[in-house]
Amino acid sequence: MSLFRLAFPIAAFALTASAQPQRIDVQLSNFKITPTTITLTHGQPYVLHLSSSGGHSFAAKAFFAAATMPAADRAKIQGGSIELEGGESVDIHLTAPAAGSYETHCTHFMHSTFGMTGRIVVK
């Protein structure tokens, strides 16, 4: 019985240390980023699943610079932005950075002027 008491806390720690990433779906379409505000928790793993119905970009320069992610996913980001063709989707695996508010927008001509902006809030 004492062996069980010793093993249980170790098993519980192993389960929390290898938390599965939460998927966050982000749709880029018709001059909108949906959801407009993405709320994340500092230090938690996520998969940002970006999809586009037309040619758009998802720019979040400060956020991407601060987030921890595998090199293969970082390579998908150019100048703080991810380009998507119509019907394309991209997954970015990351760990949320320090608490803060990070702006997002589409870099295509006039798209942010027409309201294609958003925010990532890390708590």
Side-chain angles (χ1 to χ4, degrees):
M1 183 95 131
S2 63
L3 246 169
F4 177 73
R5 284 187 214 159
L6 279 173
F8 182 73
I10 294 169
F13 173 76
L15 287 176
T16 57
S18 64
Q20 291 297 313
Q22 178 183 348
R23 178 176 155 152
I24 307 292
D25 291 309
V26 180
Q27 177 65 41
L28 310 172
S29 64
N30 298 326
F31 305 113
K32 288 186 347 187
I33 298 174
T34 307
T36 303
T37 301
I38 300 166
T39 304
L40 308 176
T41 301
H42 164 71
Q44 295 299 306
Y46 294 93
V47 175
L48 277 183
H49 179 76
L50 307 170
S51 57
S52 178
S53 62
H56 294 290
S57 69
F58 184 81
K61 189 172 186 172
F63 175 77
F64 287 139
T68 303
M69 67 185 74
D73 286 350
R74 188 157 305 278
K76 298 173 187 176
I77 303 164
Q78 301 298 314
S81 180
I82 299 169
E83 285 293 326
L84 294 107
E85 299 295 326
E88 185 179 13
S89 64
V90 174
D91 286 338
I92 301 293
H93 299 80
L94 59 88
T95 300
S101 183
Y102 303 87
E103 294 181 18
T104 66
H105 66 279
C106 179
T107 62
H108 292 200
F109 182 70
M110 299 294 288
H111 286 204
S112 61
T113 302
F114 289 126
M116 201 163 184
T117 61
R119 182 165 303 285
I120 299 172
V121 176
V122 181
K123 295 181 178 191

